[in-house]
Amino acid sequence: MKVTAGTGKVYLVGAGPGDPGLLTLKAAKAIAAADVIVYDRLIHPAVLRHAREDAELIYAGKTPERHTLKQEEINALLVSRGRDGKVVARVKGGDPFVFGRGGEEAEALAAAGVPFEVIPGITSAIAVPAYAGIPVTHRDCASSLAIVTGHEDPAKEESSLDWQALARGVDTLVFLMGVGNLAQIAERLIANGRPGGTPAAVIEWGTRPEQHTVTAPLEAIAQAAEEDAVKPPAILVVGEVVRLREKLRWFDIRPLSGRHVVVTRSREQASELTEALESLGAGVIEFPVISCRPLEDGPSLERLDRAIEELESYDWVVFTSVNGVRFFLDRIFRLGGDVRALAGIQIGVMGEGTRRAVEERSLTVDFVPGRFVGESFVEEFPEKRPGVRVLIPRAEDARELIPEQLRRHGCEVDVVPCYRTVAADTEAAELRLMLAAGTVDAVTFTSSSTVRNFVKLAGLDTPDFRLPETVKVVSIGPVTSRTARDLGLPVHAEADPHTIGGVVQALLELLARPASGEG
Ligand code: SAH
């Protein structure tokens, strides 16, 4: 697919059922290329992060109570933007042609002569049961599947649905948009010949961390869903396949399923922790309290450039963070050099992540301490003697412990800044709302600066906001813990070892719970 800005084309894009990982590559590409994005209510914010920063975002979402934009208005909008020569991504939940009114939009575009393409999405009708451990077909018990609207009032006389055929002729029935009509749907199916004991499931917020499933025989499913206060979006699955959930349930029984954890790292670094937590089932709120940037022209940059020029004069380069590695090597590269500039120089690192960052650049690490706190670095450092020259490239505002102690042993230590950290405040308001609403189970801190920025941006330094008591605080190590306590935060667990893996383990110990049963 070639997506070029300026040629005028509308992409009818399916964004999948909720889990942002279920977006197709082609959909991500179209969203990234679009000048205009028209999106619906159930679109995950992570999907919209594929958009260009300057893209025009238009919310066309419909809520059950009111229509934000009428369908005709959406059609007209797509046509006019397409005619203006814009690349438009019309982003819909699931698949655009499965109860998505994509057909109508395509008709309007075709009639107006505006070029369009359809990018199918993973439909909730199939993916949501899958995430609940229900295959919609199965060799032993289901050879046919119907995807049915549950929106139509099943009590009305001239139904467009052939209820008898559905009740008797199709093995698996999946109803979308049916939460408000569960009782009537079940009644109608039973009246038309489906046994009342047929297994049924209602799945709410499928494929999202908050996914919730209620199972019951068809005759009791409406009441069970009501007792559990199930609300849209949810689907109803009816058929023998529902029984397989007992054996195949997987998504909502992972150790951190249903838990929400704030990951407070820079945008550049968040993914390792985020991925680990998501694979354990947690919903991760990535809150980039700090973001790392290259140095601007000025005395700091001059010092960095001088150190790079004189690199040969050092015996050791010590990296204390992934970003130190990244920005230091980027600068060498910018100045026309490459990793050969480090030939003959020993490399020491703090932490596993930093070691990996060095090794990923095809450099060998000569020293890494067994424990990841500054004190043990100096204790174990092999060349603590006078005259040994050590370069430490790192953040502008990092702590002094390692250089001070090495100097005490007579080493000649140069600390040069190679990047700066800036606070990102864009998502602060959103985070404050989530904390106040009680949806956050834990907050993680992986450095003192993440604590300081979090406290500031979450508004914890103002008298009108406090961290709710239900929120657990996990820190990566003693220095970070001390900063948190100094700023008035409780620390419920400290990672041991002081690594991302240690943080994950600490969260598991605090939050993992046995899967609850269901009706
Ligand atoms: N085009 C979409 C369906 C749009 S109709 C698709 O292919 O998935 C909207 C209905 O889809 C909702 O009322 C609900 O029944 C279902 N739905 C969509 N996403 C869902 C989700 N994550 N969990 C449960 N049901 C969902």
Side-chain angles (χ1 to χ4, degrees):
M1 175 184 61
K2 187 160 162 37
V3 181
T4 343
T7 53
K9 182 173 255 187
V10 179
Y11 293 90
L12 299 174
V13 182
D19 177 347
L22 293 179
L23 191 71
T24 65
L25 295 174
K26 199 165 175 179
K29 229 170 158 183
I31 293 168
D35 302 305
V36 183
I37 292 170
V38 185
Y39 67 100
D40 283 350
R41 187 168 66 101
L42 296 178
I43 302 305
H44 195 285
V47 166
L48 297 178
R49 277 192 215 124
H50 290 278
R52 289 200 329 247
E53 249 172 43
D54 61 340
E56 182 191 5
L57 292 178
I58 301 173
Y59 178 65
K62 302 185 188 87
T63 58
E65 306 81 42
R66 70 198 163 88
H67 286 234
T68 306
L69 278 183
K70 292 211 180 67
Q71 188 60 48
E72 301 74 52
E73 293 170 327
I74 297 174
N75 296 353
L77 177 73
L78 299 178
V79 167
S80 79
R81 289 296 199 281
R83 281 197 176 137
D84 286 347
K86 304 282 192 213
V87 172
V88 183
R90 169 69 178 117
V91 183
K92 295 162 166 294
D95 182 276
F97 280 4
V98 177
F99 297 120
R101 305 194 72 169
E104 290 159 66
E105 290 169 10
E107 278 178 350
L109 293 163
V114 173
F116 66 90
E117 284 187 24
V118 183
I119 302 181
I122 295 181
T123 180
S124 62
I126 292 171
V128 169
Y131 271 51
I134 302 169
V136 289
T137 72
H138 191 282
R139 253 181 96 86
D140 298 337
C141 60
S143 326
S144 59
L145 161 70
I147 299 171
V148 188
T149 173
H151 195 50
E152 168 175 288
D153 180 357
K156 79 176 180 192
E157 283 304 312
E158 68 296 1
S159 170
S160 63
L161 297 173
D162 183 341
W163 284 96
Q164 195 171 47
L166 288 172
R168 299 193 191 171
V170 184
D171 295 326
T172 304
L173 300 170
V174 174
F175 288 86
L176 304 189
M177 305 173 288
V179 175
N181 289 329
L182 287 175
Q184 295 91 315
I185 293 170
E187 250 169 52
R188 196 90 190 219
L189 288 173
I190 293 167
N192 281 280
R194 194 74 155 209
T198 308
V202 175
I203 307 150
E204 185 185 30
W205 280 114
T207 79
R208 297 272 292 244
E210 32 300 77
Q211 174 174 314
H212 175 62
T213 303
V214 182
T215 53
L218 183 58
E219 62 206 359
I221 191 69
Q223 199 183 340
E226 198 185 317
E227 278 163 14
D228 265 23
V230 170
K231 297 204 175 52
I235 67 166
L236 165 69
V237 189
V238 179
E240 289 303 317
V241 286
V242 171
R243 265 188 234 289
L244 289 159
R245 171 170 164 81
E246 280 167 36
K247 277 191 281 182
L248 303 184
R249 187 175 175 185
W250 62 275
F251 180 77
D252 47 359
I253 51 169
R254 290 171 300 163
L256 295 179
S257 289
R259 302 299 202 175
H260 286 87
V261 180
V262 174
V263 168
T264 55
R265 305 199 73 184
S266 66
R267 176 72 89 207
E268 294 81 356
Q269 289 182 324
S271 57
E272 189 189 349
L273 184 54
T274 298
E275 278 166 23
L277 294 175
E278 282 179 346
S279 71
L280 290 165
V284 174
I285 305 145
E286 271 188 7
F287 184 56
V289 287
I290 55 172
S291 175
C292 300
R293 303 278 159 76
L295 296 175
E296 286 166 346
D297 286 342
S300 292
L301 188 62
E302 280 164 24
R303 278 177 58 206
L304 173 62
D305 288 355
R306 204 173 326 119
I308 290 173
E309 237 165 68
E310 297 167 2
L311 209 48
E312 272 173 31
S313 73
Y314 292 99
D315 303 297
W316 283 86
V317 175
V318 171
F319 294 108
T320 55
S321 73
V322 171
N323 283 311
V325 178
R326 179 178 145 212
F327 284 96
F328 185 68
L329 290 169
D330 278 359
R331 189 63 195 170
I332 291 178
F333 200 65
R334 267 295 178 87
L335 295 173
D338 58 31
V339 289
R340 285 173 294 182
L342 289 161
I345 302 171
Q346 312 257 71
I347 298 177
V349 300
M350 274 287 289
E352 266 313 302
T354 315
R355 177 220 282 268
R356 238 173 292 138
V358 169
E359 289 175 350
E360 270 164 19
R361 285 158 179 86
S362 300
L363 290 160
T364 308
V365 170
D366 301 288
F367 168 66
V368 54
R371 287 177 49 239
F372 301 132
V373 289
E375 286 79 355
S376 50
F377 185 94
V378 181
E379 258 164 47
E380 296 172 32
F381 188 65
E383 283 201 290
K384 288 178 296 212
R385 43 187 174 72
V388 172
R389 283 179 46 80
V390 181
L391 176 66
I392 307 183
R394 58 180 200 179
E396 252 178 332
D397 56 355
R399 64 195 276 254
E400 284 299 321
L401 188 94
I402 295 178
E404 272 168 14
Q405 295 200 352
L406 285 175
R407 281 187 196 118
R408 231 173 272 159
H409 290 277
C411 297
E412 290 170 29
V413 185
D414 287 335
V415 178
V416 295
C418 64
Y419 64 98
R420 64 201 164 92
T421 54
V422 292
D425 59 358
T426 37
E427 283 142 63
E430 205 181 307
L431 178 78
R432 247 172 275 173
L433 282 176
M434 279 188 288
L435 285 169
T439 39
V440 173
D441 295 292
V443 180
T444 60
F445 294 118
T446 50
S447 72
S448 292
S449 52
T450 59
V451 182
R452 280 193 288 270
N453 285 309
F454 176 84
V455 164
K456 197 153 91 226
L457 294 175
L460 297 177
D461 53 349
T462 56
D464 54 320
F465 193 83
R466 301 217 56 73
L467 194 66
E469 274 173 22
T470 48
V471 178
K472 302 277 186 253
V473 174
V474 176
S475 126
I476 196 166
V479 178
T480 304
S481 300
R482 203 176 316 140
T483 308
R485 290 197 183 100
D486 286 350
L487 291 172
L489 290 174
V491 176
H492 299 94
E494 190 174 283
D496 184 17
H498 311 310
T499 58
I500 295 299
V503 172
V504 172
Q505 190 54 42
L507 280 166
L508 277 173
E509 279 158 26
L510 279 176
L511 299 182
R513 56 177 174 194
S516 57
E518 64 188 34

